[in-house]
Amino acid sequence: MALTLKVLLENQRAAVAQDQLRVKAGLSLFVSDETTSILFDTGPDDSFAHNAAQMDVSLDNLTATVLSHGHYDHCGGVPWLPDNTRIICHPSVGNERYAALNVAGRLHKIKKLSLDIDYARHRMEYTRAPLQISDRFIWSGEIAVDNPKAYGVMGDETDYVIDEGVLIYLSRRGLVIITGCGHRGIVNIVRHCQKITGIEKVHALIGGFHLRSASPRTLWQVRQFLQQLKPDKIMACHCTGAWGKLWLPEVISPATGDTFVFE
């Protein structure tokens, strides 16, 4: 079997892509093999659906839509999904959340990062545990982190983006791991995926790695980890950032309109 990945929305437009394709800060990917088709994230609005039509990608009869986490740039397109869409995500995906500034030990809300979305229209499958979507696709469930990094507030509590999960594809050449933003840390994400699947070999890492403002120390640790892991492909987009990509070995930068095939 082969996995096909089409980039419906990303921060940049591919050089060979049509001018009609929209580009927004966010992520939406269409991934499919011979039996299963999944929409991974929806970007911030209806741009994913507009681009899918321009790219001749049918979003009818999806096996599922998977939401990596509840930030607006990943789930903001949900209102444009047909009623009764099957959506797989963490139970906290709909919680209200804000970016925050720490002043004298107190967090002050500065920007809302969630949207008021009517998830009741859809067939919601909320799960903290890994979920087998098909023979080869797995939702990671909640990713454990010993020392999680804070990214604002969720309600009245610190937001560690515990709702962030990833999509895993079991290819003949190893794991294909598809991330939304990578808030939980790419090292933690990979180790979690290896643990729940029992497969050590990683064929490809794809998506946002959230390294755009990472410290040199963190970036050096990530680089060393990836050099030891030796994935066949590192495909960093969205919130990885130009700064983060500089540290990644042999990185590829997927963009809106791109298509990739994995054996």
Side-chain angles (χ1 to χ4, degrees):
M1 284 190 176
L3 172 69
T4 299
L5 181 149
K6 293 182 178 290
V7 183
L8 300 185
L9 189 70
E10 207 276 322
N11 297 29
Q12 307 293 329
R13 183 185 292 109
V16 297
Q18 309 168 41
D19 291 339
Q20 296 93 328
L21 294 182
R22 298 177 189 171
V23 174
K24 296 282 182 73
L27 188 68
S28 183
L29 307 173
F30 176 78
V31 290
S32 62
D33 64 9
E34 287 82 349
T35 65
T36 307
S37 59
I38 294 175
L39 179 66
F40 180 77
D41 283 347
T42 65
D45 52 27
D46 67 333
S47 295
F48 79 97
H50 168 87
N51 289 351
Q54 295 292 322
M55 295 168 63
D56 293 324
V57 174
S58 174
L59 299 179
D60 297 332
N61 303 314
L62 289 170
T63 304
T65 293
V66 172
L67 300 179
S68 63
H69 63 299
H71 285 165
Y72 71 92
D73 51 342
H74 293 263
C75 62
V78 167
W80 285 271
L81 292 173
D83 286 351
N84 207 36
T85 294
R86 180 192 182 194
I87 298 179
I88 298 168
C89 59
H90 188 280
S92 299
V93 76
N95 290 9
E96 189 172 77
R97 60 218 306 173
Y98 293 82
L101 188 64
N102 191 323
V103 179
R106 296 187 62 182
L107 292 173
H108 298 267
K109 298 175 182 177
I110 57 175
K111 178 184 177 182
K112 191 174 182 181
L113 297 178
S114 58
L115 296 173
D116 298 325
I117 295 171
D118 181 14
Y119 287 106
R121 296 173 42 233
H122 303 293
R123 289 183 290 131
M124 302 302 297
E125 293 185 32
Y126 295 114
T127 177
R128 289 183 169 85
L131 177 68
Q132 191 89 32
I133 301 172
S134 66
D135 287 345
R136 292 180 176 269
F137 282 102
I138 300 171
W139 159 246
S140 71
E142 189 173 310
I143 297 167
V145 178
D146 291 334
N147 297 296
K149 184 176 179 180
Y151 290 95
V153 294
M154 182 187 292
D156 295 322
E157 300 181 354
T158 301
D159 185 6
Y160 296 107
V161 199
I162 63 168
D163 58 317
E164 183 176 43
V166 302
L167 184 63
I168 306 166
Y169 184 76
L170 308 178
S171 81
R172 292 185 297 123
R173 298 186 179 182
L175 301 178
V176 176
I177 300 172
I178 303 173
T179 71
C181 259
H183 292 288
R184 302 296 277 176
I186 195 63
V187 176
N188 297 317
I189 289 169
V190 169
R191 288 175 175 162
H192 175 82
C193 294
Q194 290 172 325
K195 180 179 179 181
I196 66 173
T197 63
I199 298 171
E200 292 293 316
K201 172 62 179 175
V202 175
H203 177 44
L205 290 173
I206 307 163
F209 298 170
H210 216 276
L211 298 173
R212 59 191 175 195
S213 59
S215 68
R217 181 173 181 271
T218 296
L219 288 163
W220 180 249
Q221 290 172 339
V222 169
R223 181 178 175 85
Q224 286 186 311
F225 173 77
L226 293 176
Q227 286 176 331
Q228 293 173 358
L229 184 68
K230 296 180 180 178
D232 299 316
K233 297 181 185 296
I234 299 174
M235 306 174 72
C237 53
H238 184 47
C239 57
T240 306
W243 168 242
K245 290 177 185 178
L246 285 175
W247 295 74
L248 300 178
E250 299 181 23
V251 67
I252 299 168
S253 298
T256 302
D258 275 335
T259 296
F260 301 92
V261 178
F262 305 86
E263 295 298 331

